[in-house]
């Protein structure tokens, strides 16, 4: 919760740090310079840019489309010729086998088988890329293909079992092309086609399984990419073998969807692929198996030539800029002289002379800059009236209005125990060096304490000797008084942890760095917040009875044997978050009704606090080295201590 508040406050500070928009300049220097540069660039590069972007781009596009279409037609023709050849050779083989069977007669089965085997061997010898040929129960296997590729012939049966539906489609008269690479583990295709032998036999399906490497040679290329898909948009041939081996499907590709919807046999277009790249795409539908050959090329690759032209234009721009710089150099003389005067004024500000007279009466950026210098010098004078830099900045921005305003705030006071004795010990030990020693020691302490305040979005109001006064819910607020009060208590707990850490690192009996123990008093209530002081010295501070009570609450820590005390008003806001123990009521000067006091032991929820974590006041006193007080024997001096502790009746 506190982390979010701190982040919110930082965001508010950053937002406030934005300077207001500068006033309008009638004759801006930048516009004058831009006009000169743009005028020269338009003359030298305008015509070149138009020609390069329009005419050259158009010519390149026409050339790219023609080249892409030509490559597509050539690849499609080669693929179609190869498929037709494979189909024709396979049918010729079957016709030959059937003719031999008819010639030898039905009674010579062994002779027919031997002759068929010899014909098949000749066929496979002349067509080594054919892996197998199957028709019904008959199957011809090219053993050499399987041996050379180190695969099992059983894969043919596995494929046939998985392609029953496609076999039926082929038997009904449809030629089907399938990618069987996922089954065989190598680039292999299968062509399923209908076959009816002589004699009016029933139509059967012929399955030709063959290597696609001979087809792949027709689809090579570096710039243009050609590939083939079947009627189901399965990739059959592709330059990227990984797609073939994975059995990839391109049904979602925009060009594939376009060609499936088109009745054209050949087509070319410019489209956007799934990756968002612009592509020139051409396709041709083959006359066999409804296969389609597609060729694409990225438009970005085509227009690389224009990029070279652009680079030449950049060199030309550099030359033009050089000429422009000559003009600007002469014109800059009207700027450099006023800037020299501003430089002298800046040096005077660095030396502490904030009131800098500048008589630049110009209606351009130089005049505006001179006005800003005057405002800056006035702002630096304002900083001298404040001890808190952030408050001063907010006051300068007008975020803190003049005068006072009532706010419900939480006030914090802390004080070092036995500071007078510590100071005397410094003096007795170090003599003339005592001042430097005690200031260094005190500054180290105050640095850690201020960090705790700022970490919880509090404002350090002032240092009163060794005492620290801070408040929450004033300059910065979470908008919820309960949260502001809890932040104040968290700051005190952080101070406790910081002091424990500092004291642990101190050497025993080191006179230059003695152990520090403090008391903290916290009270919540209505205060008056505002800029208080004189024209020479002002402070953003809080005043009111709630402030006085917080100060007097801090003073009660010592006799009560505590380090953090909160009043009933604060306890009512944050008691549910804390482990506290109620102390004897205290009658404070100026208040007729006794004030309830609560010693803060710890947070119920640790909220990132580091060890140790006391759970009772006794544990806390033991941890801090505070003796258990005897409240009955406290010597109350109302004039000095301004408090009176109400004792039990038996004291």
């Amino acid at each position: 919760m506190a982390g979010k508040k701190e982040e919110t406050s930082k965001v508010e500070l950053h937002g406030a740090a934005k300077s207001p928009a500068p006033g309008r300049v009638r004759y801006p220097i930048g516009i004058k310079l831009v006009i000169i540069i743009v005028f020269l660039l338009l003359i030298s590069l305008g015509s070149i840019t138009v020609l390069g972007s329009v005419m050259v781009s158009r010519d390149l596009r026409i050339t790219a489309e023609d080249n892409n279409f030509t490559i597509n037609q050539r690849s499609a023709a080669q693929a179609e010729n190869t498929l037709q050849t494979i189909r024709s050779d396979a049918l010729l083989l079957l016709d030959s086998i059937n003719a031999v069977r008819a010639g030898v007669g039905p009674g010579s089965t062994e002779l027919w088988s031997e002759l068929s085997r010899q014909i098949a061997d000749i066929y496979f010898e002349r067509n080594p890329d054919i892996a197998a040929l199957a028709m019904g129960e008959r199957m011809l296997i090219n053993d050499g293909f399987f041996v050379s590729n180190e695969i099992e012939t059983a894969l043919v049966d596995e494929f046939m079992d998985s392609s029953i539906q496609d076999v039926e489609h082929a038997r009904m008269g449809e030629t089907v092309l399938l990618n069987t690479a996922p089954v065989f583990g190598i680039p292999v295709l299968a062509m399923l086609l209908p076959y009816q032998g002589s004699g009016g036999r029933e139509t059967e399906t012929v399955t030709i399984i063959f290597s696609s490497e001979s087809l792949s040679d027709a689809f090579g290329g570096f710039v243009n990419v050609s590939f083939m898909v079947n009627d189901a948009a399965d990739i059959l041939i592709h330059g990227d073998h990984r797609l073939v081996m994975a059995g990839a499907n391109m049904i979602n590709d925009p060009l594939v969807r376009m060609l499936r919807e088109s009745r054209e046999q050949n087509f070319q277009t410019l489209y956007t692929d799934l990756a968002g790249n612009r592509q020139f795409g051409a396709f041709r539908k083959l006359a066999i198996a409804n296969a389609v050959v597609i060729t694409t090329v990225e438009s970005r690759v085509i227009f690389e030539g224009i990029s070279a032209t652009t680079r030449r234009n950049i060199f030309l721009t550099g030359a033009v800029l050089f000429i422009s710089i000559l003009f600007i150099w002469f014109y800059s003389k009207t700027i450099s002289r006023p800037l020299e005067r501003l430089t002298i004024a800046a040096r005077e500000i660095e030396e502490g002379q904030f009131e800098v007279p500048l008589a630049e009466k110009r209606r351009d950026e130089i005049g505006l800059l001179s006005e800003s210098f005057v405002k800056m010098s006035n702002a630096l004078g304002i900083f001298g009236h404040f001890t808190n830099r952030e408050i001063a900045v907010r006051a300068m921005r007008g975020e803190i209005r003049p005068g006072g305003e009532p706010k419900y705030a939480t006030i914090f006071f802390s004080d070092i125990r036995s500071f007078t004795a510590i100071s005397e010990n410094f003096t007795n030990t170090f003599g003339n060096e005592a001042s430097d020693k005690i200031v260094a020691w005190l500054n180290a302490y105050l640095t850690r304490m201020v960090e705790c305040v700022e970490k919880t979005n509090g404002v350090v109001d002032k240092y009163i000797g060794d005492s620290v006064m801070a408040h929450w819910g004033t300059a910065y607020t979470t908008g919820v008084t309960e949260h502001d009060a809890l932040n104040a208590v968290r700051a005190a707990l952080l101070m406790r942890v910081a002091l424990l850490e500092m004291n642990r690192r101190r050497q025993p009996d080191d006179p230059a760095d003695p152990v520090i123990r403090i008391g903290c008093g916290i009270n919540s209530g209505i205060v008056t917040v505002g800029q208080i002081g004189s024209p020479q010295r002002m402070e953003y501070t809080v005043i009111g009875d709630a402030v006085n009570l917080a100060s007097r609450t801090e003073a009660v820590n010592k006799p009560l044997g505590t380090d953090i005390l909160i009043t009933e008003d604060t306890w009512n806001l944050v008691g549910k978050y804390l482990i506290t123990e109620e102390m004897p009521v205290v009658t404070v000067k100026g208040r007729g009704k006794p004030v309830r006091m609560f010693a803060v032991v710890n947070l119920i929820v640790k909220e990132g606090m580091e060890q140790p974590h006391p759970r009772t006041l006794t544990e806390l006193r033991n941890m801090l080295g505070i003796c258990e007080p005897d409240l009955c024997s406290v010597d109350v001096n109302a004039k000095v201590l301004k408090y009176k502790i109400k004792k039990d009746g038996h004291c």
Side-chain angles (χ1 to χ4, degrees), residues 143-159:
D143 294 326
F145 180 90
F146 287 90
V147 171
S148 62
N149 288 283
E150 299 181 352
I151 56 177
E152 299 292 333
T153 58
L155 295 174
V156 177
D157 295 327
E158 180 181 341
F159 166 71

Side-chain angles (χ1 to χ4, degrees), residues 559-577:
L560 292 182
T562 58
D563 69 328
I564 303 173
L565 279 177
I566 62 175
T567 64
E568 182 179 7
D569 290 332
T570 302
W571 185 85
N572 288 334
L573 292 172
V574 299
K576 59 186 175 183
Y577 301 110

Side-chain angles (χ1 to χ4, degrees), residues 277-306:
N277 299 318
R278 298 287 287 170
Q279 300 263 11
F280 290 106
F283 66 83
R284 175 180 168 183
K285 297 179 181 178
L286 305 185
I288 184 170
N290 293 325
V292 182
V293 174
I294 300 171
T295 304
T296 64
V297 60
E298 284 193 43
S299 62
R300 175 183 57 82
V301 176
I302 299 301
F303 295 117
E304 283 183 354
I306 296 181

Side-chain angles (χ1 to χ4, degrees), residues 474-493:
T474 51
Y476 311 114
T477 178
T478 63
V480 181
T481 55
E482 175 183 309
H483 296 169
D484 291 331
L486 184 58
N487 275 343
V489 177
R490 289 182 63 249
L493 291 171

Side-chain angles (χ1 to χ4, degrees), residues 75-87 215 286 288:
S75 299
Q78 293 180 9
E80 191 171 52
N81 181 63
T82 301
L83 293 175
Q84 290 286 11
T85 300
I86 292 173
R87 179 179 180 275
L215 275 171
L286 305 185
I288 184 170

Side-chain angles (χ1 to χ4, degrees), residues 22 131 139 196 252 274 288 494 596 627 647 650:
M139 187 173 298
Q196 187 176 24
N252 293 322
L274 294 175
I288 184 170
L494 288 172
R596 295 174 67 191
C627 297
K647 305 177 177 62
H650 63 274

Side-chain angles (χ1 to χ4, degrees), residues 51-68:
L51 290 174
S53 300
V54 178
M55 300 181 66
V56 177
S57 296
R58 183 179 60 187
D59 293 342
L60 281 175
R61 174 169 179 170
I62 293 173
T63 303
E65 288 180 336
D66 290 344
N67 183 60
N68 191 60

